[in-house]
Amino acid sequence: MPVPAFSDNYIWVADDGAKAMVVDPGEAAPVVGYLSANGLALGAIVITHYHGDHVGGIAGLLEAVAQGKIRAGARPVPVCGPAAENIAGLTQRLRQGDTVELTWLGEPLHVMEVPGHTSGHIAYYQPGDAQTPPRLFCGDTLFAAGCGRLFGGTPEQMFRSLGSFAELPKQTQVCCAHEYTLSNLRFALELEPGNADLLNWNRAAQALRDKGMPTLPTTIGQERLTNPFLRCTLPEASPGLAASASRHAGRARSRPVEILATLREWKNTFR
């Protein structure tokens, strides 16, 4: 369940009906309200990277537990996050290949190091089962039809990170941390105006937002068809991406990582 925060953040909450895992709580109040309204205990906090709109609510949530405003599903409440970033309050520092064992939530979370947006960014992949599709909690590395700005990482790192996402099962639900879908789709359509999948997704996303509904989660399968940055990592990516990148740069852009870098710089100023 995406809990809205700030102007366009989502704080993801996954629960078993009794205890909840909270992903990237940038502020505490919306989460406290959601847990209280649904009778859920705070079972774990998991963090993808150090930016304030993803970690700012950690202390407030722990304080709400101490004050009895919400119940704790474990004592102390585990706070998990990237080992390579300086985040106060972490009880478990995670690297590539580590797992977060939350038995009450089903399958463990598998940690993926996905630098690019920040140099120490991680994501959490939870395999599904016969009843539940896989889930990816990707922070700001991957968005619907977009990717994060390169604040602490490099285009090469982002290229590899998105490539690792592209290899996940197509039915994987992608739980992004921001509602950027419509603006990302405008940019994607600038690059590939004839992409029928993009046109269909743009109409569907607009209809959801017109109803005040989130456009997320998306899926890896949908991103392989419509996300220009992830598509740069695919052998079957449209030649239109290379043509658009070359036109914008004023010189040939044929290497996939060069295309991604050019498109990301262009997106920074696209309106």
Side-chain angles (χ1 to χ4, degrees), residues 45-239:
I45 299 171
V46 300
I47 304 297
T48 62
H49 66 291
Y50 72 90
H51 286 162
D53 63 327
H54 293 254
V55 304
I58 295 174
L61 285 174
L62 298 178
E63 184 178 356
V65 168
Q67 294 176 348
K69 295 180 180 178
I70 54 176
R71 294 180 293 110
R75 290 190 182 274
V77 174
V79 183
C80 310
E85 297 196 343
N86 184 20
I87 300 172
L90 295 186
T91 64
Q92 187 176 357
R93 296 183 178 274
L94 303 167
R95 296 189 181 277
Q96 175 75 30
D98 288 343
T99 57
V100 180
E101 302 287 344
L102 302 175
T103 55
W104 45 272
L105 200 58
E107 292 290 326
L109 304 176
H110 296 262
V111 176
M112 304 171 67
E113 290 184 354
V114 287
H117 178 62
T118 67
S119 60
H121 202 300
I122 63 175
Y124 301 87
Y125 174 69
Q126 187 177 35
D129 54 33
Q131 288 77 40
T132 307
R135 290 185 289 191
L136 175 68
F137 300 98
C138 55
D140 285 356
T141 300
L142 178 65
F143 299 125
C147 73
R149 287 177 180 248
L150 303 181
F151 287 120
T154 66
E156 291 77 11
Q157 288 177 322
M158 180 62 84
F159 181 83
R160 289 193 295 270
S161 295
L162 294 177
S164 68
F165 288 160
E167 294 176 356
L168 296 174
K170 291 183 179 181
Q171 71 270 27
T172 301
Q173 293 186 337
V174 180
C175 303
C176 315
H178 288 274
E179 183 58 74
Y180 290 163
T181 306
L182 290 179
S183 63
N184 287 342
L185 286 170
R186 284 195 296 274
F187 180 66
L189 284 166
E190 178 77 12
L191 306 178
E192 294 186 286
N195 184 327
D197 295 299
L198 267 174
L199 293 165
N200 290 336
W201 180 202
N202 187 55
R203 285 191 290 269
Q206 185 65 65
L208 288 169
R209 296 308 292 155
D210 288 345
K211 297 175 184 176
M213 298 173 64
T215 59
L216 303 170
T218 179
T219 66
I220 290 295
Q222 179 153 269
E223 295 311 297
R224 287 174 64 95
L225 295 172
T226 59
N227 189 317
F229 300 99
L230 187 144
R231 283 168 59 75
C232 287
T233 72
L234 303 176
E236 68 270 24
S238 168

